[in-house]
Amino acid sequence: MTAHDDRGPWSRSGLVKNGVSSREIPGLYVSEDHSIEECVKHLEGITKPTYSHEEIFGQYCHLGEYIHVPVEVAFEYAANVYSLEEWTFSLRSLHHIGGGLYKGKEFLAKDTSIYVRAEAYPDSRVVDYPCAWDQGDELWMRYHFRFVDARPTIRKPGTIVLWTNVKHPYYDRATEELPDYISKPRARTDRAWVGDIWPHFDAIHKIEIANLKAILEHRYSKL
Amino acid sequence: MTAHDDRGPWSRSGLVKNGVSSREIPGLYVSEDHSIEECVKHLEGITKPTYSHEEIFGQYCHLGEYIHVPVEVAFEYAANVYSLEEWTFSLRSLHHIGGGLYKGKEFLAKDTSIYVRAEAYPDSRVVDYPCAWDQGDELWMRYHFRFVDARPTIRKPGTIVLWTNVKHPYYDRATEELPDYISKPRARTDRAWVGDIWPHFDAIHKIEIANLKAILEHRYSKL
């Protein structure tokens, strides 16, 4: 079959290996070294019956939800930055301040501005919202969305929306060596810091993804 | 500020609402109706100290991992279908059978073929691997990857890789009304069905994402 390897869109010779076969790399767990029975036993050892909140949501906050509207509808809606004024709990009063950057109000905290972009990729149906409280120089709060056709994925019409946030060190009050534009607003005593809410990100985003689902499904079913 | 609304890349008037204001849609949880204090109390009610395996991994299997290589390196590698022969536990001997579809061997089960595509989107750095055991007519096992620059995301050089699988009904032995090309191979008694492993998908994919990280970091550090 070697003769066929380079005929498709990819080729084995195109893999950048820097002269190192994967078999020489320590620490891999692969079928060349472990039988099916061994592997299954290993998987059973890794899988746990229960997990702490910190284990699951400590560094990543992943969500997935089914929405009964066509994927093009869901993507088009979320790609528009103004949709955030409807489906988020508290991001409101957006206006464009230039270069695709928007400034709005964050009603989850007292006297707090939020700066946000909506970066949309129609081919993969990705929408990123890089954002930050208080300033627009470094958009370190980053919401990553993907809209996937539910038909091939779960055999139903509609959309699967995937959403991940990653915990940037600025969320954490223990992080030192900060730029002034983070340390000063983080030190405010008249409000919570956004990172204080990190342990509740799954909860707040579950509320918001439910808002997104309700809005899209309600409007679509009215057609 | 209304005068500014339509000057950026997005516009409020471009939101498709089908004549329905979001305020008319029942069931939303938004800051117009709930104070910060109320919201925080609600979040505390939703957040749990521990979660069962089924709660977290029942319908979705989400992973995230940091890899200390530039995001272009990680994306380029994973976009090449032949990388699967190195970092997966058991997908081997791929060859192109036409139209971008590859056939290989799945060594996690006896006498089992796997069919797979690698669909790569360079602008968003998404890689999807739609695949299936036994046949290539319906690629219902779907692996969704995203490669994100770690610098703006966690303030470190490198890559964050996000990976989600969604539980298609074919994984489940209880699903009825199946096409023959699923029901017949599912009924084989000389091997497990891929869906029997669904409860261990987090474990097997943790192993595989660790393989991916080890391979990329080892080769990159050799440069």
Side-chain angles (χ1 to χ4, degrees), chain A:
Chain A
M1 290 302 179
T2 310
H4 288 264
D5 287 349
D6 285 0
R7 294 193 191 167
W10 314 106
S11 75
R12 274 198 188 85
S13 57
L15 273 188
V16 176
K17 298 186 178 184
N18 297 323
V20 186
S21 157
S22 68
R23 298 296 290 148
E24 301 168 50
I25 298 174
L28 303 194
Y29 192 95
V30 291
S31 60
E32 286 78 0
D33 303 326
H34 301 278
S35 69
I36 297 174
E37 293 68 27
E38 261 178 77
C39 177
V40 169
K41 185 169 280 191
H42 188 42
L43 300 181
E44 288 169 354
I46 298 171
T47 306
K48 301 171 61 173
T50 61
Y51 302 85
S52 72
H53 186 85
E54 177 68 18
E55 278 179 287
I56 299 298
F57 299 111
Q59 182 59 24
Y60 298 92
C61 181
H62 301 287
L63 293 95
E65 182 59 275
Y66 169 70
I67 302 179
H68 191 172
V69 304
V71 66
E72 298 85 356
V73 172
F75 170 75
E76 176 188 76
Y77 177 75
N80 188 324
V81 75
Y82 289 106
S83 72
L84 293 165
E85 296 182 330
E86 297 191 328
W87 66 264
T88 66
F89 176 67
S90 51
L91 201 168
R92 302 289 184 272
S93 304
L94 289 170
H95 60 276
H96 184 236
I97 60 171
L101 184 61
Y102 289 77
K103 181 177 179 180
K105 293 184 179 167
E106 169 54 274
F107 285 104
L108 193 55
K110 190 182 168 191
D111 295 338
T112 297
S113 297
I114 187 162
Y115 293 72
V116 61
R117 296 176 177 283
E119 297 175 344
Y121 301 88
D123 57 350
S124 57
R125 297 199 187 95
V126 159
V127 180
D128 292 332
Y129 304 110
C131 58
W133 282 16
D134 310 314
Q135 51 77 39
D137 289 339
E138 185 181 355
L139 301 180
W140 60 275
M141 298 164 51
R142 304 178 77 81
Y143 293 11
H144 301 289
F145 283 74
R146 176 96 192 270
F147 296 86
V148 174
D149 187 349
R151 174 65 67 186
T153 312
I154 56 165
R155 215 187 182 192
K156 287 167 72 170
T159 300
I160 299 278
V161 52
L162 306 175
W163 178 4
T164 295
N165 281 41
V166 188
K167 190 180 179 188
H168 191 286
Y170 292 169
Y171 283 113
D172 198 333
R173 285 195 181 269
T175 301
E176 297 179 359
E177 296 181 46
L178 296 174
D180 281 357
Y181 56 78
I182 300 296
S183 60
K184 286 182 180 172
R186 195 181 67 175
R188 279 177 57 180
T189 55
D190 64 332
R191 63 166 195 189
W193 176 235
V194 60
D196 299 342
I197 311 158
W198 177 266
H200 298 307
F201 262 38
D202 176 59
I204 186 78
H205 294 161
K206 271 203 172 82
I207 288 171
E208 294 180 320
I209 214 166
N211 287 345
L212 178 64
K213 177 180 168 74
I215 291 168
L216 285 167
E217 291 184 349
H218 187 93
R219 286 182 177 151
Y220 181 68
S221 71
K222 300 287 275 191
L223 287 177

Side-chain angles (χ1 to χ4, degrees), chain A residues 155, chain B residues 138 140 168-187 193:
Chain A
R155 215 187 182 192
Chain B
E138 186 181 354
W140 59 276
H168 191 287
Y170 292 168
Y171 284 113
D172 199 333
R173 283 195 182 269
T175 302
E176 296 179 1
E177 295 182 48
L178 297 175
D180 281 357
Y181 57 78
I182 300 295
S183 61
K184 286 182 181 171
R186 194 181 69 174
W193 176 233

